[in-house]
Amino acid sequence: MTKDNKPEDIWERLDRIPRHVFYTLLLGLMIVSLLVPLGLPIKVGAATRKFYDIVDAVPNDGVVVFDISFSPGADPELGPQFTAILHHVFSKPVRVLFTVFVQDGQMMLQIYLDRLKPETYGKVYGKDWVNFGYRAGGISAMAELAKDMTFFKTDYKGTPLSELAVMKGVKDYRDVSLIITVTTASGGLSSPEDWVQQWATPYKTPLLVAMLKMMIPNTLPYFEAGQVKAYMGGTDQAAEYELLVERPGKGLAYTDALTNVHLLVIAFVILGNVGYLVRQRRKKP
Amino acid sequence: MSEVLRKNVPLAITFLIGMVLFVEWFLAVPQIGVAGTALRDFGVTVSAFALGLGAINLFALHGGHIKARTKNQWIYSLALLAALLLFIIVGVQQGVQGSQYKWIYNNIIVPLSATMYGAIGFYIASGAYRALRARTKEATVLLITGVILLLRNAPIGPALWDGFPIIGSWIMDIVTTAVYRGIMMGSSLGILALGIRTLIGMERGYLGRE
Amino acid sequence: MISTDIGVWIAAFFTIFIMSYAYKDNPLFKFAEHVYVGAAAGHAVVMGIVSASTSSWIPLTKGQIIHIIPLVLGLLLYTRYHPRYYWVSRYPIALLVGLGTAISIRTVIAANFTQQIAATIKPLSAVPLTNFNNLVVLVVTVTVLWHFLFTQHKLATGNFGLIGKFGRYAMMVAFGAAFGNTVMTRMVLLLGRVDFLLFEWLKLR
């Protein structure tokens, strides 16, 4: 009922739809979209193509520092990106050094290594790749690593780095071909900004950032200035990367559901504005 | 003497460490470089110890609730401390590579963490309905750009109209980049000012209670 | 065929308990929330032990005596709970604050100022669209910075105020774009949980 006890019509009710209606519609649409995918085509964008090309251009026996800085909370969005990039990197004859500066990163890395199984790519631990394990200290540790790649002294199991063939000839930032960070970390831990400040700007080491879609605006200034060479944000780009590396995964699987959900949110916005504008019009004498 | 040890010496330590790291960065003095490396090495270990502080606070707070049998709270506090102890005991016994630790991590922390962040999706949807309204000129600009970006991000956007990805990309690559650059430069000035004030002892909040 | 893995069932129940908050606060959500806080804190302790062990304890046991210093400093952090000697914890905190502050501010000038300024002022190009875009970046960056000149009253009002107002509108465009990106992130995170419930728990495919 309105203030003067007239019954509300549908236009005015549009202004005050209960939130549970949205939650139910959203959940229902997600379930239907996942169960009945439409298989809509997608195109590979320039940003994803650039990311792919830079990874592909790492020379044989090049050293890639691969930083894992995300928690299970970001797994649905970063997991597909990480899987596709890891598949690409392991498919190349390069050395991979995994760094972890956030608490959950160690477990997330382990989960994905258990899934991807480096040995199926012919990769041998200690010879082709190493896991430095979690180190507290955030940017302190990151800054020192640039000066001395053996700063951590041991890998995650306690094996001295001097005993691992993968570290042969790797002394400092000059021996690193590329940094890839898969991150949701905030400043001071292992955020894109930290890698830009501690590695990419002072030492000009090429830096690629894979992150949540909502982090892209904060990273764009660095990308435009050339401090970040390429970025990947969001499941849409993960889907494009999966196409490029020919390994379909969750990125492609979520594409249709994402389309439907976005259209639903737009419908909510339009409904809200229609109801609001009608109310405003009717208030005017 | 007591005041010196309690307040002045820690402030002096902060200042000295800052100076060592600045000299190390801007001048090539090998001995200072060695000192800087040692400091960073120490920092990694001390940061690791800091991770236990949260657990102690939780024990104190929730242990108090259990002891006092706080109504509508103590049973949840019991669950909290049980989970905390479970992870510590299994983790210390097996290490994080142990199969049981991985099991409890994958089946407790992963779903809880993922759903905590995922549930925000519900609120974004209702928030879009409630907040994204053309109340003022600025709000209208925000609303229109929001919808354009939603259509650009939706995989179907380009299929609906070629213009969505073009306009959306221009907004992101040009306008958003410039805005966030301005915001970043402004906030970096703040960080710089706060950092210098901290190093010279004008900001003392980190010392805690008097 | 529904999953028979008890771990998947535990994960599914926790997922549903947390999601139930969207409808109403309830004891199941509170239980799951408290378990999460406890588990996360426990995991942090374990990772702290792992990091301290690999960084200092193992080198100390192999003869590097200097590592006793950070181990002692780390233990001194816990004196903050002592009613009389709480001030001793200021020493390791001073180390951490000095380290973190200096490492971040010594690089911020190059990364966030000089390189960004260089990227904002670009030379003219043969392509008119590039020149237009570069001009927009320059104008928007300057007007956004102008908007935040709150302490300079003369620059924030009158005709000068229009410059800041333009920056404000530019910020609305950027925040609208940021909102669009945020929607995608949040929806994907929720989609991931729905995917888990449908395909790993209920095994509908």
Side-chain angles (χ1 to χ4, degrees):
Chain A
M1 301 290 265
T2 60
K3 275 186 185 162
D4 45 4
N5 280 328
K6 286 187 188 151
E8 279 181 333
D9 66 6
I10 186 154
W11 298 108
E12 284 170 336
R13 280 206 205 136
L14 279 177
D15 195 29
R16 290 182 297 113
I17 300 174
R19 59 194 168 93
H20 299 122
V21 171
F22 296 117
Y23 300 162
T24 311
L25 280 172
L26 183 63
L27 209 51
L29 187 63
M30 279 187 176
I31 291 169
V32 167
S33 305
L34 285 171
L35 288 173
V36 189
L38 300 166
L40 298 165
I42 63 164
K43 253 170 58 173
V44 176
T48 313
R49 168 69 64 184
K50 190 170 183 187
F51 197 110
Y52 176 90
D53 288 342
I54 293 174
V55 174
D56 218 39
V58 175
N60 291 355
D61 204 37
V63 173
V64 176
V65 169
F66 209 145
D67 174 59
I68 317 307
S69 296
F70 68 100
S71 70
D75 188 39
E77 191 159 25
L78 288 183
Q81 295 180 44
F82 183 40
T83 306
I85 300 168
L86 195 57
H87 169 77
H88 191 190
V89 169
F90 273 156
S91 304
K92 293 178 62 60
V94 299
R95 289 184 271 170
V96 187
L97 316 180
F98 288 107
T99 61
V100 181
F101 296 110
V102 299
Q103 295 151 38
D104 287 306
Q106 172 78 357
M107 302 306 292
M108 295 313 297
L109 175 61
Q110 200 56 57
I111 287 170
Y112 281 92
L113 288 173
D114 288 346
R115 276 186 209 164
L116 249 81
K117 296 187 186 11
E119 54 275 13
T120 58
Y121 295 87
K123 299 294 178 185
V124 174
Y125 185 80
K127 179 171 163 278
D128 302 303
W129 67 283
V130 66
N131 176 2
F132 288 141
Y134 168 67
R135 305 293 167 142
I139 55 167
S140 307
M142 191 196 287
E144 187 58 29
L145 198 63
K147 283 177 56 185
D148 177 9
M149 290 298 294
T150 59
F151 169 59
F152 295 145
K153 296 177 213 74
T154 67
D155 71 352
Y156 76 110
K157 288 190 273 199
T159 310
L161 294 179
S162 52
E163 292 175 16
L164 298 175
V166 68
M167 294 300 295
K168 191 177 172 190
V170 183
K171 293 194 181 66
D172 59 29
Y173 67 90
R174 283 171 282 223
D175 304 309
V176 174
S177 309
L178 180 68
I179 303 168
I180 304 173
T181 177
V182 184
T183 179
T184 60
S186 49
L189 281 176
S190 181
S191 67
E193 193 170 65
D194 294 323
W195 283 102
V196 166
Q197 287 177 5
Q198 303 304 328
W199 276 76
T201 303
Y203 306 120
K204 310 275 184 280
T205 312
L207 171 66
L208 303 183
V209 179
M211 58 196 155
L212 298 175
K213 193 92 181 168
M214 60 191 242
M215 290 167 65
I216 290 178
N218 293 83
T219 309
L220 278 174
Y222 295 123
F223 171 68
E224 208 256 353
Q227 292 155 302
V228 170
K229 298 298 176 203
Y231 66 87
M232 187 146 76
T235 313
D236 53 338
Q237 280 192 268
E240 293 167 17
Y241 209 91
E242 285 169 2
L243 277 180
L244 286 171
V245 299
E246 294 168 4
R247 191 194 161 101
K250 292 283 185 193
L252 282 166
Y254 290 163
T255 312
D256 293 340
L258 273 176
T259 287
N260 294 339
V261 155
H262 274 74
L263 292 175
L264 184 70
V265 171
I266 292 168
F268 290 163
V269 170
I270 292 170
L271 275 176
N273 277 282
V274 164
Y276 171 74
L277 289 169
V278 165
R279 259 189 193 273
Q280 291 301 107
R281 273 243 159 106
R282 287 184 183 179
K283 265 187 201 167
K284 284 179 188 164
Chain B
M1 182 63 190
S2 168
E3 179 76 7
V4 168
L5 278 177
R6 280 168 188 257
K7 205 185 273 187
N8 297 340
V9 173
L11 290 173
I13 289 172
T14 306
F15 176 75
L16 281 167
I17 289 174
M19 289 306 106
V20 165
L21 291 169
F22 278 137
V23 169
E24 182 204 22
W25 188 251
F26 293 108
L27 302 170
V29 180
Q31 294 83 356
I32 301 286
V34 169
T37 298
L39 285 170
R40 279 184 289 274
D41 206 354
F42 293 175
V44 170
T45 303
V46 178
S47 301
F49 275 87
L51 292 170
L53 293 172
I56 292 182
N57 282 337
L58 286 173
F59 264 113
L61 176 66
H62 290 276
H65 282 309
I66 295 170
K67 204 171 159 190
R69 291 287 191 272
T70 311
K71 200 178 160 193
N72 295 332
Q73 176 58 45
W74 77 269
I75 198 92
Y76 301 118
S77 296
L78 195 62
L80 187 151
L81 292 183
L84 198 153
L85 285 169
L86 172 70
F87 272 80
I88 292 176
I89 291 168
V90 176
V92 166
Q93 270 188 342
Q94 289 199 349
V96 295
Q97 303 304 317
S99 56
Q100 284 169 339
Y101 193 85
K102 281 190 201 177
W103 192 92
I104 57 173
Y105 185 89
N106 283 337
N107 295 309
I108 297 178
I109 288 188
V110 168
L112 284 169
S113 174
T115 317
M116 277 289 189
Y117 286 97
I120 298 172
F122 288 126
Y123 314 130
I124 277 271
S126 66
Y129 165 76
R130 266 171 228 294
L132 225 58
R133 301 221 175 151
R135 288 191 183 94
T136 60
K137 287 193 206 112
E138 285 102 334
T140 309
V141 168
L142 196 148
L143 161 69
I144 292 169
T145 349
V147 171
I148 292 173
L149 261 294
L150 282 169
L151 287 164
R152 178 229 185 204
N153 290 340
I156 201 157
L160 287 174
W161 182 46
D162 278 335
F164 287 132
I166 295 169
I167 297 172
S169 295
W170 187 84
I171 290 173
M172 286 297 290
D173 296 341
I174 306 298
V175 182
T176 306
T177 300
V179 167
Y180 275 81
R181 175 170 288 158
I183 292 171
M184 182 216 296
M185 288 168 77
S187 66
S188 297
L189 276 170
I191 290 168
L192 206 52
L194 183 62
I196 292 168
R197 285 173 62 91
T198 304
L199 289 178
I200 63 176
M202 287 179 77
E203 292 291 338
R204 300 175 179 191
Y206 68 93
L207 293 179
R209 60 185 160 147
E210 284 299 316
Chain C
M1 188 69 207
I2 205 165
S3 173
T4 53
D5 184 335
I6 183 134
V8 172
W9 276 81
I10 291 171
F13 277 131
F14 276 137
T15 301
I16 292 166
F17 291 172
I18 298 286
M19 277 189 183
S20 66
Y21 185 75
Y23 288 90
K24 209 170 87 165
D25 193 7
N26 60 84
L28 293 173
F29 169 79
K30 279 204 180 90
F31 168 71
E33 180 195 32
H34 280 73
V35 168
Y36 176 46
V37 171
H43 178 64
V45 170
V46 172
M47 295 314 297
I49 294 170
V50 163
S51 181
S53 169
T54 42
S55 312
S56 283
W57 181 252
I58 291 175
L60 179 67
T61 57
K62 290 192 174 159
Q64 294 177 40
I65 306 290
I66 195 160
H67 282 280
I68 206 156
I69 299 173
L71 287 169
V72 167
L73 281 173
L75 286 168
L76 286 179
L77 268 174
Y78 293 92
T79 58
R80 64 187 279 116
Y81 299 111
H82 195 282
R84 201 168 160 206
Y85 295 109
Y86 62 89
W87 54 270
V88 177
S89 67
R90 290 175 180 171
Y91 286 74
I93 289 172
L95 164 71
L96 292 177
V97 168
L99 257 178
T101 307
I103 286 175
S104 59
I105 68 176
R106 72 187 189 180
T107 51
V108 85
I109 296 167
N112 288 12
F113 287 108
T114 51
Q115 291 244 344
Q116 295 298 316
I117 292 168
T120 307
I121 307 168
K122 286 193 174 142
L124 288 171
S125 150
V127 180
L129 182 63
T130 306
N131 290 335
F132 173 72
N133 287 341
N134 291 342
L135 186 65
V136 169
V137 168
L138 174 63
V139 166
V140 169
T141 306
V142 169
T143 54
V144 165
L145 281 166
W146 195 287
H147 172 79
F148 290 109
L149 288 172
F150 299 129
T151 49
Q152 297 296 318
H153 187 69
K154 280 186 185 158
L155 295 176
T157 51
N159 288 331
F160 282 127
L162 290 173
I163 301 172
K165 199 165 184 184
F166 181 84
R168 219 167 114 93
Y169 276 97
M171 280 194 279
M172 292 301 120
V173 171
F175 296 154
F179 175 79
N181 285 350
T182 305
V183 166
M184 178 175 246
T185 292
R186 298 297 176 196
M187 289 305 160
V188 170
L189 300 186
L190 182 57
L191 208 54
R193 297 322 295 156
V194 176
D195 178 274
F196 163 79
L197 288 173
L198 292 178
F199 302 126
E200 285 183 53
W201 180 45
L202 297 174
K203 292 218 184 278
L204 293 177
R205 203 190 293 146

